[in-house]
Amino acid sequence: MSAELGIAAGVVDLVRRTAGADAEAEVLVTRSDLALTRFANSFIHQNVAETGVAVHLRLHVDGRTATGSGSRADADGLAALVERTRAAARLAPPDPAWPGLTAPTATPSGPAVDEATAFASPDERAERVRAFVDAVDGLEAAGYCRTAYRSGAFANSAGHTAAGSAAEAAMDGIARAGAADGVARLCADRLADLDGAALGAHAAAKARAAADPVELPPGHYEVVLEPAAVADLLQNLAWFGFNGKRYAERQSFAEPGTAQFDPLVTLVDDPLHAGTLPFDLEGTPRRALPLVEAGTTRAVAYDRRGGAAAGAGSTGHGMPGSATFGPIPHNIRLLADPGVADAGATVAAGPVSAGVTGAVGDPDTAALVAGMRRGLLVSDFWYTRVLDPKQLVVTGLTRNGVWLVEDGVPTRAVRDFRFTESYPRALGAGRVLGLGRAPVRLPGRVDGSWYEAPALRLSSWHFTGGASG
Amino acid sequence: MSEFDAATAAVQAALDAGARYADARVMHRRYESMSARNGDIEELSQDESIGLGVRALVGSGWGFHAVPDLSDAAARDAGRRAAAIATASARVPGPPIDLVPAEAAVASWASECAVDPLGVPLSDKGDLLVRATATMREHGADLAEGLYQIWDTTKWFVSSEGHRIDQHIRECGGGISATSIGDGETQRRSYPSYRGQYGTTGWELVTSLDLAAHAARIAEESRELLTAPQCPAGETDLILGGEQLALQIHESVGHAIELDRILGWEAAFAGTSWLDLARLGSLRYGSELMNVTIDPTIPGALGSFGYDDEGSPAVARDAVREGRWVGVLAGRDSAAVAGLDYGGSVRADGWARLPMVRMTNVGLEPGPHTLDEIIAATDDGVLMDINRSWSIDDKRLNFQFGCEVGWEVKKGRRGRMLRNPTYTGIGPAFWRSMDMLSSETVAWGTPNCGKGQPGQVGHTGHPAAPARFRGVRVGVRA
C-alpha cells in the first residue's frame, strides 16, 4: 500500500469512527513534486520547486454534503480536516441529488512513470534552458522548462480504492528578433524527450522569419493554424462545449448525435495517453471518451452528479470546482482521419515539396500551406475570451508569428490580428480543408492538462482588426 | 516550533549553503466558498493550507523551494534546496542582481475587519445565497447563481536583512448573477459586478451589498436583454460604468506598468509592455484627467496590505499624473535593474509560490462630474456597464472588452437597452480620448488576476468612477 493510499484509507476510517457508519466519505490524497525553471532575456530569472501533499475530503452525512481540503497529512491535520468538514456538513442544506459513491471498480494503469523525470534536478532543467538559449544564436530567449510528478490515491467508504502516479515534462519558449517572436512548445512523458537545442532552433527560425511584418486589412482569410493555435480551439471547445453541466443547462452548442463539425474532425479526450492520474477526484477510472467522431458530436463530459442527472454515468471528469463550473476535458486529441493518415499527403492539401522555411517550420505544416492560394499561417493564439458561450463566439489575438501565404508559399510576415470567430462554425462541414499528419502535444498551464493536435487548414477565419490599431 | 522559528531556520540554512540573501515566508490560509444555484446550495468548500517558502540568492541566481512542513529539519532542508536551485540558475547566468535598500522592519499588521467572515454561521451565509437565487428564478432567470468567497491569511516573514513581520489579512466578497437562455444565445446580468465585489475587510462588505434587494431587477434585465436590439457597430462616444472602467484600468494600465513585464521577465507567457523605461516621467499616457495611483493603503480595498511579500511597507505613489506616466509597480530586484529606488509591489498567492510583481490598488482618481451629468452632456453615444469578456494583446495595447449591458444615449438621455455591447481600441489613444470623469468612485476588487508560472492568482483593487471616451469603435461581431 502506498503512503498516499494509507492516508486516504485512514481518513475514511476516521470518518466512520467519528461520523457513524452511515456517513459516506471519499478521499483523494495527492503528493506532488513540481519544479519549474524559468528564463527571460536569455538567463534563468526564476527557479522554483515545491513538495506538497493535498488531502481532499467530500463528506455526505444525514443527507447533507460538504467538501474540505488541506495541506497537512499528519494525524492532527487529518483529524482537523475531518472535524471541520463534518461541522460544515451539519450546517449545509439537504442534498437530495447526492449521486452516491463510486463502487469498487478496477483502475487502469496510466503510462509508466519515468523516475528520471519525476525527480529531475534543477541542473537537468538548466541544461535544457542552456541548450535553448545557445540555439537561438544571439536572439533573446524566454520561457520555461518544468517537470512534474504526482502520486495519488483514492479511497471511499463504499470500499473503492485506486492508486496511481504520473510524471510529465514540458518546455515552452520563445526567441525574440527585435519585435518579432517565434515559439516552440512541447509536452512529453520524459524529460529526456525534450531537446532544448531543437526547440530553440525552431523558435529562432520562426522569429527571424517574422521580422518586418506588414499590416493587412481585416476580413475573412483562409488559414493554416499551427498546433499551438489549434490547442486554443480544443481548450475552448472543452470548457464551453463538451462540459456536461453547461450542456445540461442549454449553454453549450453541443448536440450529441448531430453532425456539427466537418467530417475530418475527430476529437477524443484521452487522459491515459499521457501523464495524468488514471482516476478522477471521485475515484472514477479514467478512459478515452470520444467527443466527436468524423464530425458527429458523440458525448460530453460528466462527473458523478451530472452523469447521474443525465442518466449517463460519470465519464471520469470529476474535478475540484466541477460542481460549480462543470466537468471539463483536459486531455483532448484532434486525430487525423485514419484514411487520410494512410493516404499520405493527399488530404494534407498539397505536396510536401513546398519545402520548409523558417515561417513554416516543419514538413507537416508545409504540406497544408502548399495547398493554399492566398491565406494566413498562424502560429499561436493569445488571450481568447468567449463573447457568446452558446455559439462559442471567441475573440482573441494572434501571437508569435503570422505570415501571408500566396500560391503555397509564405511571402511576408504580418502584424498581429484581433479575431472574432465562432469556433464550432469555423470547424463546420466543408470548412476543414486539411489536417496535418504529425500531432504535437502542447502543455496546459498546469501539469496533467495537455492538448494534442496537428496543424489545421480552415477555409475562413474572421480577423476583425489589426492589433496595432 | 513557532512560524517565525521555522522561517528563521530556513533563512539560516540558505545562508549556510552559500546564499548572500534569503527570505522565508510561512503562510497559513483558510479559504471558504459557497455557491448556490436556482435556490439551492450547490457547493460548500473549505480549505486550510500551511507551509513555508524560502527564497535564496546565490551570486546573481535566484532559487525558491516550498514545503508543507514547519519542522526544524524540513525548514532547514528547504533553505538548503533553495540555495541549490539558485546555484543551478547560474548555469544560465544573467546580469548582476541587487536589491534596492530596505529598512529592516520588525512589525505586526492586521487588516480592518468588523465582522469575522468565518465566524458568521454557515446557515446565515447559505440563506443569503438561497434567498437571492430563488428570487432571481421567480423573476424569470433560467440560471440564478450566487457565490461568496472568504480568505483568512496569516503570514510570518523573515529575511537575512533582519525583517520579522507578521500580518493577518482577511478578505471576502460575493455576488449574484442571472442568466437567461434564448434561441441560440445567452444573456447575463450580474450584481454588483462580474463575480461580485471583494475587499480586504470583513463580512460587513457582503451585508452592505444587499444581494437579495437586487435579485429581481437583474433577473428581469437578463430576460429583457434577449430581445433588446444589438449594440450598433461603428464609432461613437462611449460612457463606461465604474465596474467596467476598473477592469479597463486593470488590463490596460495596471499590467502595463508592471516592471517585470517592462523588463521582459514575463515575455514568453504574460507578455511584455508597450512602455519604455526611457520615457518614464515624460510619456503621455492619456488625457490630463487621467491620474492613476498605486495605493495599497486604502482601507478595505482588495489590494491592501501592511507589507508586501519582500517586507516593503505599503506606500502610496503615483503611476500617471495629469496624463503623464510617472511610476511603476516594482519589486526590490526589478527596481534595482531599472535604476529605481522603490519596490513594494511584490506578492505571492500562497506559501508554495514565488513572490512576484503584482498590482496592489491601482485606481483612477475621481473627476468633477456625476454619471447623470456625463449622460446629459452626450448627444450620441453608448453607455456600457458590467464586464462580460476581456482580451488584450501581449503588450497591453490592443483591447476588446464586452459588457453585459449597454444603453443608447441620445440627446443627453439614456435610451433603449442594447445587447452584446463590445468596444475595442488601443490603450494610449483610448485614454487620451477621456474627456469627462465622474466623482462616484468605488474601489472594485478583482480576486482572479492570473500571472506567473507556475500560475498564481492575485487579489487587486481598482478605484474607478464612470467616465466618457470620445470616438470609440463599438459593436464588433463575428
Side-chain angles (χ1 to χ4, degrees), chain A residues 232 380-385 395-399 419 445, chain B residues 261 268-271 391-396:
Chain A
D232 185 83
D380 204 357
F381 286 146
W382 165 248
Y383 221 128
T384 56
R385 290 293 184 273
T395 188
L397 299 121
T398 61
R399 191 176 179 187
F419 68 85
R445 291 196 173 182
Chain B
R261 294 179 64 107
F269 179 58
S391 174
I392 190 165
D393 72 23
D394 55 317
K395 294 181 178 59
R396 298 284 149 174

Side-chain angles (χ1 to χ4, degrees), chain A residues 132-155:
Chain A
F132 190 105
V133 169
D134 288 346
V136 304
D137 193 22
L139 302 185
E140 284 190 355
Y144 73 77
C145 177
R146 81 176 181 212
T147 53
Y149 171 69
R150 291 185 192 272
S151 173
F154 177 90

